[in-house]
Amino acid sequence: DLILDPFCGSGHFLTRCLDYVVQHQAASIDQHKLHEFKFFQLHGIEKSERMVRIAMTDMMLHDDGHTNIRNVDALLSFDNYPDILALRDNDDADPAVFDIVLTNPPFGSIMRQEVMGMIGRFTLGHKKKSLPLEVLGLERSFQFLKPGGRLGIVLPEGVLKNKSARFVRRWIEGVADLKAIITLPEDAFSAYGATVRTCLCIFRKLRDGEAPSPGKETLLVELENLGYDATGRAKPGSEVSEAIGAFHREVGW
């Protein structure tokens, strides 16, 4: 799988992917294939130069072999990512090259004057003078994803519930199957200064020509214990493993 985090921050989603493959797949694939995965398959985009340095260091400490972290704004036009377009087997300029996108985009900011030029590049920005950053991040994540690809993204709960975000939900219905909504506790990110209630949403992007299926079931999980408290200290009784088990039983791929 070709994996991208377009808002990768310190790169933990990528290092966790690497850890998972090393722990669960290393015994079943030869060392050359494992080296190829480490070297070529993990990619990140991050606007902050400081966070890029942290992410690259973390990736190197995890023996990734190569740090494909780009110091650029993930919301720019696609001609700013020629190396991503070069990942395609043909000369097509379509950026939808990744099998998996995993990301926690920045949210809580309303995009106004400074990104008016950006909004016009997005379907969800049509006739909009401003948009929450997470809405642009959601659409950009789908733009990087192959048809049939998988997206795991952390979003504010309001995207799924608020009347003002109904246009976002209607757009999603036309581009993806919503496989699971995992609601996180209010204090999930309190240790990092964020108090917005969030959900982990898991999607499968529709294939070319595939019709939406509004009747398909979606797994709903509400977590109250992530294994740590609002200060980040360990807390017994984590429900994370149970949620993972429920996803594999009820959804899988």
Side-chain angles (χ1 to χ4, degrees), residues 103-125:
T103 195
N104 181 4
F107 46 78
S109 299
I110 300 296
M111 308 306 286
R112 292 192 176 92
Q113 204 64 37
E114 71 275 16
V115 291
M116 286 301 292
M118 290 184 181
I119 289 178
R121 302 190 194 110
F122 295 85
T123 301
L124 290 171

Side-chain angles (χ1 to χ4, degrees), residues 55-251:
M56 293 178 73
T57 301
D58 200 20
M59 293 290 286
M60 287 188 287
L61 290 173
H62 281 74
D63 190 30
D64 75 324
H66 189 61
T67 48
N68 295 306
I69 311 293
R70 298 152 183 85
N71 185 197
V72 65
D73 190 336
L75 300 178
L76 297 176
S77 60
F78 290 116
D79 54 10
N80 288 276
Y81 322 107
D83 52 340
I84 287 181
L85 300 179
L87 295 171
R88 299 191 67 88
D89 296 330
N90 52 36
D91 294 329
D92 195 342
D94 186 354
V97 299
F98 293 94
D99 303 284
I100 296 174
V101 173
L102 297 171
T103 195
N104 181 4
F107 46 78
S109 299
I110 300 296
M111 308 306 286
R112 292 192 176 92
Q113 204 64 37
E114 71 275 16
V115 291
M116 286 301 292
M118 290 184 181
I119 289 178
R121 302 190 194 110
F122 295 85
T123 301
L124 290 171
H126 182 60
K127 294 184 177 180
K128 297 288 191 303
K129 293 184 178 180
S130 64
L131 273 180
L133 183 54
E134 63 269 14
V135 172
L136 297 181
L138 174 65
E139 183 171 343
R140 179 48 53 97
S141 295
F142 275 115
Q143 290 172 340
F144 278 126
L145 195 63
K146 282 182 180 178
R150 295 163 283 174
L151 169 63
I153 184 170
V154 179
L155 293 171
E157 191 177 46
V159 173
L160 304 175
K161 296 176 66 174
N162 293 349
K163 185 177 179 180
S164 61
R166 185 180 298 167
F167 75 102
V168 179
R169 298 191 291 274
R170 287 178 175 170
W171 177 82
I172 291 172
E173 290 174 355
V175 300
D177 284 334
L178 177 55
K179 308 294 283 187
I181 301 172
I182 301 170
T183 303
L184 306 178
E186 284 190 34
D187 58 3
F189 297 103
S190 294
Y192 305 97
T195 57
V196 178
R197 191 172 180 89
T198 55
C199 301
L200 170 62
C201 297
I202 302 177
F203 300 95
R204 182 186 68 85
K205 186 175 179 179
L206 298 181
R207 300 184 184 277
D208 294 338
E210 182 181 358
S213 303
K216 284 191 175 181
E217 293 184 348
T218 297
L219 175 68
L220 302 178
V221 175
E222 185 168 359
L223 295 180
E224 296 180 355
N225 188 338
L226 296 177
Y228 58 88
D229 62 19
T231 65
R233 290 192 293 260
K235 178 181 178 181
S238 171
E239 300 167 330
V240 172
S241 295
E242 187 178 352
I244 293 171
F247 179 84
H248 285 296
R249 284 194 311 273
E250 305 295 334
V251 181

